[in-house]
Amino acid sequence: AQSVTQPDIHITVSEGASLELRCNYSYGATPYLFWYVQSPGQGLQLLLKYFSGDTLVQGIKGFEAEFKRSQSSFNLRKPSVHWSDAAEYFCAVVPNNNAGNMLTFGGGTRLMVKP
Amino acid sequence: GAGVSQSPSNKVTEKGKDVELRCDPISGHTALYWYRQSLGQGLEFLIYFQGNSAPDKSGLPSDRFSAERTGGSVSTLTIQRTQQEDSAVYLCASGTTSGYYNEQFFGPGTRLTVL
């Protein structure tokens, strides 16, 4: 079955430490891939997206993600976490045969940042 | 410019009552999406509009749910005879074509609580 999985429900990191949030997908063909962030009481904000080409994608707020076809993964990284990065992060996909471009989301990873 | 707005921001209703949730998309965006975010089901797609028509209603969970869009702009999601399991945050997104994908911009959501 087609799915998007974020294995980590909660992650806690210290401010200034590096961060990696995992995302795996299960689709016949590589879908379009996205990372969104949701701060408390806020809507979803797009961090970055991957359609094709260079497998390392740069996004906003200092985030990057790497697409690895062999592992069906699209992990989100940040070299140094700031307290303001505490939020919930969602990986999402759009199958590339999806005419309406509806997003299918993973379950989310809640990031907590220790001072 | 103005982003996607949704009203009300919070709605508390009694089981069995009907509710209407409103979405004002970004001006000029032809695509509009409704998603639902609940504790049990995560983030899930409900319905997609292109202009005033809804080519994909596959995510609506029951026939108590309906949506319309008028003038290619404002959309209303209606839930009839609300049930406690309808309690969730309802997110609206509007989209504009970015290459071969509708980039979606999300509103802040309407939190619905059914007592």
Side-chain angles (χ1 to χ4, degrees):
Chain A
Q2 297 180 331
S3 65
V4 184
T5 304
Q6 293 179 246
D8 305 305
I9 297 174
H10 295 279
I11 282 186
T12 300
V13 299
S14 297
E15 191 168 14
S18 64
L19 171 70
E20 181 168 33
L21 302 182
R22 296 183 291 163
C23 174
N24 294 92
Y25 61 90
S26 176
Y27 283 79
T30 301
Y32 304 146
L33 297 158
F34 307 84
W35 276 99
Y36 283 85
V37 61
Q38 186 178 38
S39 299
Q42 303 295 312
L44 292 159
Q45 183 181 21
L46 179 65
L47 287 174
L48 46 78
K49 57 185 181 279
Y50 174 79
F51 293 153
S52 64
D54 193 347
T55 57
L56 188 62
V57 180
Q58 301 299 317
I60 63 171
K61 305 187 178 188
F63 286 92
E64 66 179 25
E66 185 171 15
F67 167 63
K68 291 186 178 180
R69 184 188 304 276
S70 61
Q71 298 178 17
S72 296
S73 69
F74 188 56
N75 294 349
L76 182 71
R77 301 195 296 240
K78 187 169 185 178
S80 177
V81 170
H82 188 262
W83 64 266
S84 60
D85 294 324
E88 188 149 24
Y89 292 80
F90 292 92
C91 181
V93 307
V94 171
N96 55 22
N97 61 353
N98 181 328
N101 297 157
M102 289 80 78
L103 291 157
T104 297
F105 290 90
T109 298
R110 183 168 296 279
L111 173 66
M112 290 171 279
V113 181
K114 292 190 300 185
Chain B
V4 178
S5 61
Q6 293 186 245
S7 60
S9 55
N10 279 283
K11 176 71 176 179
V12 180
T13 191
E14 294 179 346
K15 178 182 172 181
K17 295 287 179 67
D18 298 351
V19 295
E20 285 189 350
L21 312 179
R22 176 186 169 108
C23 173
D24 283 89
I26 293 172
S27 178
H29 282 192
T30 58
L32 187 146
Y33 306 80
W34 283 97
Y35 295 87
R36 179 169 73 171
Q37 185 173 24
S38 59
L39 283 175
Q41 302 299 320
L43 266 162
E44 53 184 349
F45 163 76
L46 296 179
I47 187 169
Y48 155 62
F49 287 91
Q50 184 62 245
N52 289 338
S53 65
D56 194 325
K57 307 178 183 179
S58 62
L60 294 178
S62 77
D63 59 9
R64 296 185 295 104
F65 286 72
S66 63
E68 65 175 12
R69 189 179 185 195
T70 55
S73 182
V74 171
S75 177
T76 303
L77 177 69
T78 301
I79 309 173
Q80 296 179 308
R81 304 180 303 281
T82 52
Q83 303 295 311
Q84 288 181 332
E85 62 262 27
D86 301 334
S87 295
V89 176
Y90 290 81
L91 294 168
C92 175
S94 67
T96 185
T97 300
S98 174
Y100 38 94
Y101 164 73
N102 280 339
E103 182 152 356
Q104 297 177 41
F105 299 83
F106 283 82
T110 293
R111 180 176 297 278
L112 174 66
T113 304
V114 182
L115 301 177

